[in-house]
Amino acid sequence: MKVYITASSAITPQDTFDLEKYLVNWQSSEMPYLVALEPDYKHVIDPKLARRMSRIIKMSVAAGNRVLTEAGIEQPNAIVVGTGLGCIKDTEKFLSEIINEREGLLSPTAFIQSTHNTIAGQLALMLQCSNDNFTYVNRGHSFENALFDAILRIHEGANHILLGGADEMTPQVHHILQKMGCDNKIPFGEGACFFMISASGRENSVCIENMANFRDLSPEEVTEVLDDFLTRNSLYKNEIGALVLGFDENSPDAYYENLISAFAEDIPVVGFKKVTGEYFTASAYAYNLGAEMLRKQCVFSDTLMSGTHQGTLSKVLIYNHYKGENHTISLLSL
């Protein structure tokens, strides 16, 4: 069964929140990691509420509100969010208070706001939504788990699911990740992407025709699962208009290179992490980018790594993997 993206919104280190300026002016950064370009929140969040929100909550609520408005939905059947580190800034604040107060009497506020489900919970409180509220925390596969849950809920009869993926970066987390040797040639980043996943489409809706998850593949097995995925969807490789990959040309990766080599040399290959940088739920932006490419019938030049786009764009294939352990292939169509 197909599901539809009837609305989406993204806050990333590039200008993606305002659809009229979407990836028009490429922003350079001198920071050690990519920092999200936040909108003027007073236009999307009640200023009285915004004052009590942390940065990641404001990004998520702004993107979520934009999606709800665009979709014309007041009460989704469920709110499902994926996040790798949750409200990590509040976690830092809570841990610092423990140290500074020598494990004495602490304010519970920072702890309450630091939990991973604060993002989905805050959205539910604002909407007075008592329907199902889930948060998936599974490192680099958190958003994919949340998306799979949203698709299953649509299959079970739900009409509209508010789906999101969000993570923030702080100087302390960046420092720790570098010390742990987790950095590579893709800079770290942050962002919040939200979607309305619906059972039926409307004008300008983008269809998620299929999504498949795989575990522990070798680079050689990627092309085998790709062929099987395309066969199950009755597709030939030449029917795919563009590839959206979690790949950077400065960071060689045999998984992506093998998958690209399975297609024609001139197929447009788009790197979504050129926009977001690397973080646990960066793959959420791949679906926003793929949807905007289909809606606007274009390949954004600053994201293009190879190939050329000509004619209409009707199908986009998304592939991402996390450390070679978790692999996801998705097919979007207009």
Side-chain angles (χ1 to χ4, degrees), residues 158-318:
N159 290 317
H160 304 287
I161 306 296
L162 181 60
L163 167 72
D167 272 297
E168 64 181 337
M169 183 59 65
T170 70
Q172 288 78 10
V173 171
H174 182 252
H175 178 71
I176 291 169
L177 289 173
Q178 284 190 312
K179 286 289 185 182
M180 293 173 64
C182 296
D183 56 331
N184 55 32
K185 293 183 178 178
I186 303 176
F188 290 113
E190 59 180 6
C193 300
F194 275 75
F195 308 85
M196 188 61 71
I197 304 297
S198 302
S200 57
R202 59 184 188 183
E203 187 179 3
N204 281 331
S205 293
V206 169
C207 178
I208 302 178
E209 295 206 19
N210 206 342
M211 170 192 179
N213 293 317
F214 307 93
R215 283 277 299 169
D216 298 325
L217 298 177
S218 68
E220 293 74 24
E221 289 172 320
V222 167
T223 53
E224 295 176 16
V225 298
L226 169 69
D227 289 340
D228 180 62
F229 179 82
L230 294 176
T231 300
R232 283 190 283 114
N233 289 279
S234 303
L235 279 175
Y236 295 105
K237 292 190 178 79
N238 60 9
E239 294 178 84
I240 302 297
L243 304 176
V244 177
L245 309 178
F247 181 53
D248 189 291
E249 60 265 60
N250 297 317
S251 182
D253 188 308
Y255 289 102
Y256 296 112
E257 291 166 352
N258 283 357
L259 185 128
I260 293 169
S261 67
F263 290 87
E265 287 186 2
D266 61 346
I267 189 169
V269 178
V270 171
F272 68 83
K273 289 182 182 176
K274 292 170 76 70
V275 176
T276 62
E278 182 71 274
Y279 59 93
F280 284 126
T281 52
S283 58
Y285 178 67
Y287 295 83
N288 177 276
L289 178 59
E292 290 307 313
M293 287 166 55
L294 289 166
R295 286 171 179 152
K296 297 182 178 177
Q297 288 293 293
C298 72
V299 173
F300 299 95
S301 59
D302 289 301
T303 65
L304 184 64
M305 295 192 295
S306 65
T308 56
H309 167 60
Q310 295 177 338
T312 58
L313 193 60
S314 60
K315 296 186 187 300
V316 169
L317 188 87
I318 297 172

